[in-house]
Amino acid sequence: MKQMLFSVVAGLALSLGTSAAHAGSDAVVVEDAWARASIGTSRPGAAYMEIRNRGEEAVTLTGLATDLAEMPEIHRTSTDDQGVSSMAPAGDIAIAPEATVTLEPGGLHVMLMRLQRPMMEGESFSLTLVFSDGGEMKVEVPIRSISARGPED
Ligand SMILES: [Cu+2]
């Protein structure tokens, strides 16, 4: 009897722990995702979106996965005093409660390195966002024209 009680309590603790761990990234909403068509596969593709944390705890975006590219990464473009811009891996992206992180041309972006196929205007691809609490979110990203500057182009 004592043994059974123990396992019920243990099971309860486990399920509470799991739901708490997923509360963070479960509160994340992605809006206005879009990508630009590519010329072939020799150069990396890029994708943009707004990542909104509607929860009460901070969440951290730690990685990306997609079958479109072997090496999807979040990059940050920055421009120095001379007006020269460059980009580098942005590392983990922390999103405070109620905050929105915007991925847009000239700033943070998804860089799709080693494209496995050309990105064709009018098609879409799925991109999985991976969070530090173990949560994952799959986003369908529409591919706009090669000259698109925003989600409506
Ligand atoms: Cu980049």
Side-chain angles (χ1 to χ4, degrees), residues 29-45:
V29 178
V30 172
E31 290 169 336
D32 290 340
W34 65 284
R36 227 180 247 134
S38 70
I39 305 174
T41 58
S42 58
R43 303 206 53 209

Side-chain angles (χ1 to χ4, degrees), residues 27-99:
V28 170
V29 178
V30 172
E31 290 169 336
D32 290 340
W34 65 284
R36 227 180 247 134
S38 70
I39 305 174
T41 58
S42 58
R43 303 206 53 209
Y48 311 95
M49 64 199 70
E50 287 196 354
I51 307 172
R52 187 183 307 268
N53 179 6
R54 301 169 99 179
E56 290 172 357
E57 51 187 271
V59 297
T60 304
L61 175 63
T62 56
L64 303 168
T66 175
D67 67 359
L68 175 65
E70 266 179 40
M71 242 183 90
E73 256 182 10
I74 305 258
H75 279 185
R76 186 189 306 275
T77 300
S78 47
T79 306
D80 69 14
D81 299 345
Q82 268 68 39
V84 179
S85 56
S86 58
M87 62 182 171
D92 292 350
I93 306 292
I95 311 171
E98 309 292 337

Side-chain angles (χ1 to χ4, degrees), residues 112-128:
L112 300 159
M113 288 172 293
R114 298 193 205 135
L115 286 177
Q116 299 300 290
R117 56 183 186 272
M119 296 169 69
M120 309 290 285
E121 180 176 356
E123 294 184 357
S124 66
F125 67 97
S126 55
L127 178 72
T128 300

